[in-house]
Amino acid sequence: MSRHSAGPPSNGEQGQQPRPRRKRVVLADSRAPVTVLRTVVELEEQTSYGEELVSNLVGRQLRTSLTIAFITGGILGVLPVLFFTVPSLAEMTIAGVRLPWLALGVLPFPLLFGMGYVYNTYAERHERDFVDMVEK
Amino acid sequence: MGNVGNVWAVVAIALVAVATFSLGYRGSRHASTTQDFLVARRTVRSRRNAAAVSGEYLSAASFLGVAGLVLKDGVDALWYPIGFTAGYLALMLFVAAPLRRSGAYTLPDFVEARLSSRPLRRVSTAFVLVIGVLYLVPQMQGAGLTLGMVLHTPGWVGALLVAVIVVVNVFGGGMRAITVVQAFQYWLKLFAISTPVFVMCAVFIGSGGTHGGESRGLAEPLPPTFSAPTSIDVTTPVTLRVVEPVWLSAEGRVDGGSARGPVFWGPGTHEVDADTKLMFPGGAPVPSVAGTPSTNAEWLTPTGGGTSDLWTTYSLIFALFLGTMGLPHVLVRFYTNRDGKSARRTTLHVLLLLGLFYLFPMIMGLLSRLYVPELLVTGKTDAAVLALPGKFLSGTLGEILGAVTAAGAFAAFLSTSSGLLVSVAGVLSTDILKGRVRDFRYAAALAGAVPVVIAVFVRPNDISMSIGMTFAVAASTFCPVLVLGIWWRKLTPAGAGVGMTTGGLCVLGALVATTVSGYTGNWAPWYLQQPALITVPIAFFTMILVSKATQRSVPADVNRFRLRMHAPDPLGFIRDRDVARFGTAEERARLAEGRHRR
């Protein structure tokens, strides 16, 4: 039920009392954090200020995503061409296992998880910052 | 495998089927409303959801195909598991949270909500169906292969069995039952592939790394050798490449003439016709299918086949990295998350679970190069995981482990097929039929029947390679729509439609060309076999260019939609289609007034 509902009282109440009970109507509550409403409304009404805020957030998230995608893609993407152009690297062994097998069979999985973890941390931080700013 | 082994495997497969049934049935007693059927009331925790996503995702391609390709292609095949996992990173970076907040349940939902265009919805529905069917076919073929190995049944029996089990299960419970089943399937598959690997590694190390005596170490630069006298039935014509001269005896047609008795093969290529029996003595070098690395040295080092191999590798990475986000059964699963944040966390868990799983098929592939090299002769390396335990450990232990892997493989077909079926049936029933529970069931039956028919009539390719093509379709159609739709305000319906169609048709053309070339002597160059490196940029550029040209038709509510997708969850801009349509009164009230709440 909405805080500001001003419709007719519900049937249940009417059945018990002949007259509607007197209600205190508060048009502005000075104790409530007014800015919360104002900024969210600006977001919702898509004022230029609200648009600016959203664009800012979207831009930040996209930059983080692209950075992490390029770092991961760069690390993994350089491997085929590296092994192709420097064959001696492909024949190196570490503890009896060929380097390519380690570099492709084991290494990528911790790398991918680590990148995901870092991204998650950043993305959640950006969102928290945004909420804090909107509701301050 | 002897008859006793068959019994173990049949019991194990039956247990998997029964467990799937009963979990689905128990779940379905609680599922009674349309909302239960479609979205599991969004009460699924992110950890279980991650297990369900992984369970659904680890298909025949992961369970059988990866080990088979490692056996055949060596270190280059490792790009498959890397790509299968990295796809989830891309999904997390660009799609997961905004897509969840957009409230879209299926891909066509998203496309329609973002671009407000009915015709575009039809186009994307068509591509969901194409991807679903293309993805289901290899699952069915894998099921046929597994059941054929265990019971020596023809291929269509396994395909039909999987289809029937899945359709009945989906009939009963819809998505909620499936969530429980999928989470269970992940752990089952992990168990089924890790246990044999642990046991075999223990035996392998215990016997000083030379278990089985005669086989040749992987570090030696020559071809692998047969560890015991081996006879091989060739059922489809094959061209073999011989590096070390070998004496064998053959019955049937070899090198264009009929053969009966001893044959000598010098270095070079040799043709073997269908219905030929080849018998190799123990210790003989193994010839392998032309076009695959024939010596261990080539097998151990990456991109042995020159620049075209290098391009194929990059193209494959591209397809897998960007294709995962466009798979319909994966995205549907994300809708069961509570909000955008938990969608991201689910994806993070998935990265962990997949990384853990893929270590084991790789080890399986390594071991099978030592112990089941005869699969290289027929080229049916997808059977490696199934054949290895029985060959490696003789006696009951080997049979039981063989049964465990067969059961795991079956779990893989069941889980992926049911996930695909739910999403394809969901799209069919809401877009083409009227969206009632009854329609959902008709759609499920239809979506199960079509791939079975295709699986029976088309010659099976390597499972992982067919799956690679499906990823290419997804990467060239839905990936650009999702990425541009989420991050670029200027996308127009015309741009999305033209881009999707162009990308999709390019890949389908390449698919047809590759299939034809498979029947007429493998002439297809790398960019037809794995076209993503070319088609994905084409799709992106077409989409951007056409959108730029049609800027007047940018949807009016694009800013509102962007706000909903990107505003953090606590602000409450998220809006769910199904809450508005089917939700409880309480949920609907929360939706109506919840905007200004923390």
Side-chain angles (χ1 to χ4, degrees), chain B residues 247-265:
Chain B
W247 276 101
L248 67 150
S249 70
E251 276 174 38
R253 288 180 65 81
V254 175
D255 286 334
S258 70
R260 190 164 295 276
V263 178
F264 175 76
W265 280 356

Side-chain angles (χ1 to χ4, degrees), chain B residues 295-335:
Chain B
T295 65
N296 280 344
E298 277 178 59
W299 179 79
L300 273 176
T301 41
T303 52
T307 39
S308 80
D309 259 19
L310 194 64
W311 289 120
T312 315
T313 306
Y314 276 116
S315 198
L316 177 76
I317 298 172
F318 223 66
L320 300 181
F321 191 63
L322 297 176
T324 308
M325 67 175 75
L327 297 178
H329 62 304
V330 170
L331 287 190
V332 169
R333 178 64 59 203
F334 274 84
Y335 194 70

